[in-house]
Each structure stands twice: as structure tokens, then as C-alpha cells.
Amino acid sequence: MKYDIAQSVPFLPVVCALKFAENYYVPVAMIIGAIALSYSPVVKKWHNKVKELTREYQRAALCQLVNERQEGSLQDDR
């Protein structure tokens, strides 16, 4: 299974809580909250929107690169 850095973001507060907590209830509650948050429809919708914007950006960058290469080859032919 592919591990994405965005998947670990909800767990960053948990790591901090584990370092400073005197009892284990706080980190356990934070882990449960992070898991619930990561499976919420709002986060999935946001994640899908980010993936869509990333694809559009990559597509636009590729088109710009192709156009620059074509313009360069046309100038070389002159």
C-alpha cells in the first residue's frame, strides 16, 4: 500500500502528545480522533480536490513545456 505524507498529518499532534502526556488516555483519544478525522467525508473530499488540482497543474506544466520545445524547434529551423 502506498504511503502518502498527507495521511500522516492528523497524527502529528499525537506524536507531540505522546512525548508530553503523563497518562495514556490523551494520546489514545487523539489517535481515535485522528483516525475518525482521516475517514471523514470532508477530508476525503478535500483530498480528492487536491489530487484534481495537482493533475491540472501537471497537465498545464506539460503543455507549457511542449509548447516551449515546439517554439524552440521552430526557431532552430529558421
Side-chain angles (χ1 to χ4, degrees), residues 22-63:
E22 293 181 12
N23 58 23
Y24 66 92
Y25 296 111
V26 173
V28 168
M30 292 181 77
I31 289 171
I32 292 171
I35 291 171
L37 179 67
S38 65
Y39 285 107
S40 72
V42 175
V43 172
K44 287 184 181 181
K45 182 180 176 183
W46 174 80
H47 182 69
N48 289 337
K49 183 68 174 173
V50 169
K51 284 171 68 174
E52 180 182 320
L53 289 173
T54 303
R55 283 190 200 120
E56 289 178 14
Y57 176 77
Q58 289 175 343
R59 196 174 303 124
L62 182 61
C63 287

